Amino acid sequence: MTSAAADDVTDVTDVTDVIDVVIADDQELVRAGFEMILDAQPGIRVVGVARDGVECVDLARRLKPHVVLVDIRMPRLDGLEVTRTLMGERTGDRALNVVVITTFDQDDYVRDALRYGACGFLLKDASPALLAEAVRAASRGDALVSPAVTVRLLRQLRGATTGERPREEAGLSVRETEIARLVAVGRTNQEIGEELFLSLSSVKTYLARIQSKTDARNRVEVAAWAWEHGVVTSRS
């Protein structure tokens, strides 16, 4: 990150509101592209760039960013191990959230990253707007999955059971089950509220309850739970 970019962010945004990001990718052009895009966004600051997984873990431990963008395939330490290591070391008052950078042929890797605690998945050819939104969502403790990945990926986690037994075992109400299903097929909080005639704050309250009952750390894990337990039977 250039010093000029850092100065620009500091001038327009209180430093306490800036989202610090570490980028890890073994391709120089990808690293440079992501860095340029994110540094141009108000309220986002790239504080470190790593060429491999070992460098990424070191930078994250030293700089304690809000968000780490990590490629799955990297030398020395791949993105799966980076995710597992960093999410296993979450301490202190700053939450660290990992967003995985992936490609279409890496579904197995992405499923493992989800189980290790990644809170977002982004394709390498994602638009600048989607990249910035993924970072902002992760910094809030929310999760964003690239729309091109969401249902295709999570559908593969579908279990053989019907939704009734898992709902009862988890203690979900009928309303909570419906919201979990909508999260699993890629609906945003706003869309869920409109479909179920709920306020945005009510949707967030329901999601918090669902996460607690299913031991999910974020909405991606809620979606995975719904697919794995047969709560979802179609895209809609």
Side-chain angles (χ1 to χ4, degrees), residues 20-23 45-50 55-68 94 96:
D20 290 339
V21 181
V22 164
I23 298 168
R45 171 177 59 195
V46 177
V47 296
V49 179
E55 285 187 7
C56 178
V57 170
D58 179 62
L59 284 175
R61 285 170 172 168
R62 290 193 291 109
L63 301 177
K64 295 179 172 55
H66 301 90
V67 179
V68 177
R94 170 174 288 191
L96 188 155

Short mmCIF file of all heavy atoms in Angstrom, two decimals, residues 20-23 45-50 55-68 94 96:
data_model
loop_
_atom_site.label_atom_id
_atom_site.label_comp_id
_atom_site.label_asym_id
_atom_site.label_seq_id
_atom_site.Cartn_x
_atom_site.Cartn_y
_atom_site.Cartn_z
N ASP A 20 -8.83 -2.59 8.43
CA ASP A 20 -7.49 -3.03 8.04
C ASP A 20 -7.55 -4.40 7.38
O ASP A 20 -8.21 -5.31 7.89
CB ASP A 20 -6.57 -3.08 9.26
CG ASP A 20 -6.25 -1.71 9.79
OD1 ASP A 20 -6.38 -0.72 9.03
OD2 ASP A 20 -5.86 -1.60 10.97
N VAL A 21 -6.85 -4.54 6.26
CA VAL A 21 -6.91 -5.77 5.47
C VAL A 21 -5.50 -6.28 5.16
O VAL A 21 -4.60 -5.48 4.84
CB VAL A 21 -7.66 -5.53 4.14
CG1 VAL A 21 -7.74 -6.82 3.32
CG2 VAL A 21 -9.06 -4.99 4.40
N VAL A 22 -5.33 -7.58 5.25
CA VAL A 22 -4.12 -8.25 4.75
C VAL A 22 -4.53 -9.11 3.56
O VAL A 22 -5.54 -9.83 3.63
CB VAL A 22 -3.46 -9.11 5.84
CG1 VAL A 22 -2.46 -10.09 5.22
CG2 VAL A 22 -2.75 -8.23 6.86
N ILE A 23 -3.75 -9.04 2.48
CA ILE A 23 -4.02 -9.80 1.26
C ILE A 23 -2.94 -10.87 1.10
O ILE A 23 -1.75 -10.57 1.23
CB ILE A 23 -4.02 -8.89 0.02
CG1 ILE A 23 -5.14 -7.84 0.13
CG2 ILE A 23 -4.17 -9.69 -1.27
CD1 ILE A 23 -5.03 -6.73 -0.91
N ARG A 45 -8.29 -0.06 4.30
CA ARG A 45 -6.85 0.17 4.21
C ARG A 45 -6.11 -1.16 4.17
O ARG A 45 -6.25 -1.99 5.07
CB ARG A 45 -6.40 0.99 5.42
CG ARG A 45 -4.90 1.14 5.58
CD ARG A 45 -4.59 2.03 6.78
NE ARG A 45 -5.14 1.50 8.03
CZ ARG A 45 -5.27 2.21 9.16
NH1 ARG A 45 -4.91 3.48 9.17
NH2 ARG A 45 -5.76 1.64 10.25
N VAL A 46 -5.33 -1.37 3.12
CA VAL A 46 -4.49 -2.57 3.03
C VAL A 46 -3.23 -2.33 3.85
O VAL A 46 -2.44 -1.43 3.55
CB VAL A 46 -4.13 -2.90 1.57
CG1 VAL A 46 -3.21 -4.12 1.52
CG2 VAL A 46 -5.39 -3.16 0.75
N VAL A 47 -3.04 -3.12 4.90
CA VAL A 47 -1.90 -2.92 5.80
C VAL A 47 -0.79 -3.93 5.57
O VAL A 47 0.31 -3.79 6.10
CB VAL A 47 -2.34 -2.98 7.28
CG1 VAL A 47 -3.29 -1.83 7.59
CG2 VAL A 47 -3.00 -4.32 7.61
N GLY A 48 -1.06 -4.97 4.76
CA GLY A 48 -0.03 -5.95 4.49
C GLY A 48 -0.38 -6.81 3.30
O GLY A 48 -1.55 -7.05 3.01
N VAL A 49 0.67 -7.25 2.58
CA VAL A 49 0.50 -8.11 1.41
C VAL A 49 1.48 -9.27 1.52
O VAL A 49 2.67 -9.06 1.75
CB VAL A 49 0.75 -7.32 0.11
CG1 VAL A 49 0.59 -8.22 -1.10
CG2 VAL A 49 -0.21 -6.14 0.00
N ALA A 50 0.97 -10.50 1.36
CA ALA A 50 1.80 -11.69 1.52
C ALA A 50 1.82 -12.50 0.24
O ALA A 50 0.82 -12.57 -0.49
CB ALA A 50 1.28 -12.54 2.67
N GLU A 55 3.88 -16.21 5.17
CA GLU A 55 3.94 -14.76 5.30
C GLU A 55 2.61 -14.21 5.78
O GLU A 55 2.56 -13.27 6.58
CB GLU A 55 4.30 -14.11 3.96
CG GLU A 55 5.76 -14.25 3.56
CD GLU A 55 6.09 -13.44 2.32
OE1 GLU A 55 5.21 -12.68 1.84
OE2 GLU A 55 7.22 -13.55 1.83
N CYS A 56 1.53 -14.78 5.29
CA CYS A 56 0.20 -14.31 5.66
C CYS A 56 -0.05 -14.47 7.16
O CYS A 56 -0.51 -13.54 7.83
CB CYS A 56 -0.86 -15.06 4.86
SG CYS A 56 -2.56 -14.61 5.28
N VAL A 57 0.23 -15.65 7.68
CA VAL A 57 0.04 -15.89 9.11
C VAL A 57 0.90 -14.95 9.93
O VAL A 57 0.44 -14.37 10.93
CB VAL A 57 0.35 -17.36 9.46
CG1 VAL A 57 0.38 -17.57 10.97
CG2 VAL A 57 -0.67 -18.29 8.81
N ASP A 58 2.13 -14.74 9.52
CA ASP A 58 3.03 -13.84 10.23
C ASP A 58 2.47 -12.41 10.25
O ASP A 58 2.44 -11.75 11.29
CB ASP A 58 4.42 -13.86 9.60
CG ASP A 58 5.39 -12.92 10.30
OD1 ASP A 58 5.66 -13.13 11.50
OD2 ASP A 58 5.86 -11.96 9.65
N LEU A 59 2.05 -11.93 9.07
CA LEU A 59 1.50 -10.58 8.99
C LEU A 59 0.23 -10.44 9.82
O LEU A 59 0.03 -9.43 10.51
CB LEU A 59 1.20 -10.21 7.53
CG LEU A 59 2.39 -9.87 6.64
CD1 LEU A 59 1.93 -9.66 5.20
CD2 LEU A 59 3.09 -8.61 7.16
N ALA A 60 -0.63 -11.42 9.76
CA ALA A 60 -1.88 -11.35 10.51
C ALA A 60 -1.62 -11.33 12.01
O ALA A 60 -2.29 -10.61 12.76
CB ALA A 60 -2.78 -12.53 10.14
N ARG A 61 -0.66 -12.11 12.45
CA ARG A 61 -0.34 -12.12 13.88
C ARG A 61 0.25 -10.79 14.34
O ARG A 61 -0.03 -10.32 15.43
CB ARG A 61 0.66 -13.24 14.17
CG ARG A 61 0.04 -14.64 14.16
CD ARG A 61 1.10 -15.71 14.21
NE ARG A 61 0.52 -17.05 14.39
CZ ARG A 61 1.21 -18.18 14.24
NH1 ARG A 61 2.51 -18.13 13.89
NH2 ARG A 61 0.61 -19.34 14.40
N ARG A 62 1.07 -10.18 13.49
CA ARG A 62 1.72 -8.93 13.87
C ARG A 62 0.82 -7.72 13.72
O ARG A 62 0.81 -6.82 14.56
CB ARG A 62 3.00 -8.72 13.04
CG ARG A 62 4.12 -9.67 13.38
CD ARG A 62 5.44 -9.24 12.77
NE ARG A 62 5.44 -9.37 11.31
CZ ARG A 62 5.41 -8.36 10.46
NH1 ARG A 62 5.34 -7.11 10.91
NH2 ARG A 62 5.44 -8.57 9.15
N LEU A 63 0.05 -7.67 12.62
CA LEU A 63 -0.72 -6.48 12.30
C LEU A 63 -2.15 -6.52 12.82
O LEU A 63 -2.80 -5.49 12.92
CB LEU A 63 -0.74 -6.28 10.78
CG LEU A 63 0.63 -6.14 10.12
CD1 LEU A 63 0.48 -6.03 8.60
CD2 LEU A 63 1.36 -4.91 10.67
N LYS A 64 -2.65 -7.73 13.13
CA LYS A 64 -4.00 -7.90 13.65
C LYS A 64 -5.04 -7.15 12.82
O LYS A 64 -5.76 -6.28 13.33
CB LYS A 64 -4.07 -7.47 15.11
CG LYS A 64 -3.23 -8.34 16.04
CD LYS A 64 -3.32 -7.85 17.47
CE LYS A 64 -2.65 -8.84 18.42
NZ LYS A 64 -1.25 -9.13 18.06
N PRO A 65 -5.15 -7.47 11.54
CA PRO A 65 -6.14 -6.80 10.69
C PRO A 65 -7.56 -7.25 11.04
O PRO A 65 -7.75 -8.25 11.74
CB PRO A 65 -5.75 -7.27 9.29
CG PRO A 65 -5.19 -8.64 9.52
CD PRO A 65 -4.43 -8.54 10.83
N HIS A 66 -8.54 -6.52 10.53
CA HIS A 66 -9.92 -6.94 10.70
C HIS A 66 -10.26 -8.09 9.74
O HIS A 66 -11.05 -8.97 10.08
CB HIS A 66 -10.87 -5.77 10.42
CG HIS A 66 -10.67 -4.59 11.29
ND1 HIS A 66 -9.81 -3.56 10.97
CD2 HIS A 66 -11.21 -4.28 12.51
CE1 HIS A 66 -9.83 -2.66 11.93
NE2 HIS A 66 -10.67 -3.07 12.87
N VAL A 67 -9.68 -8.04 8.55
CA VAL A 67 -10.01 -9.01 7.50
C VAL A 67 -8.74 -9.50 6.83
O VAL A 67 -7.82 -8.72 6.57
CB VAL A 67 -10.95 -8.37 6.44
CG1 VAL A 67 -11.28 -9.37 5.33
CG2 VAL A 67 -12.23 -7.85 7.08
N VAL A 68 -8.71 -10.80 6.52
CA VAL A 68 -7.63 -11.38 5.73
C VAL A 68 -8.24 -11.99 4.47
O VAL A 68 -9.14 -12.83 4.56
CB VAL A 68 -6.86 -12.47 6.51
CG1 VAL A 68 -5.80 -13.10 5.62
CG2 VAL A 68 -6.22 -11.88 7.76
N ARG A 94 -10.14 -7.73 19.07
CA ARG A 94 -10.35 -7.52 17.64
C ARG A 94 -10.63 -8.85 16.95
O ARG A 94 -9.79 -9.75 16.95
CB ARG A 94 -9.14 -6.84 16.99
CG ARG A 94 -9.23 -6.82 15.46
CD ARG A 94 -8.11 -6.03 14.81
NE ARG A 94 -8.30 -4.61 15.01
CZ ARG A 94 -7.60 -3.67 14.37
NH1 ARG A 94 -6.67 -4.01 13.51
NH2 ARG A 94 -7.81 -2.40 14.61
N LEU A 96 -10.87 -11.33 13.94
CA LEU A 96 -10.18 -11.49 12.65
C LEU A 96 -11.03 -12.41 11.80
O LEU A 96 -11.40 -13.50 12.22
CB LEU A 96 -8.79 -12.08 12.86
CG LEU A 96 -7.88 -12.12 11.63
CD1 LEU A 96 -6.42 -12.13 12.05
CD2 LEU A 96 -8.15 -13.36 10.79
#
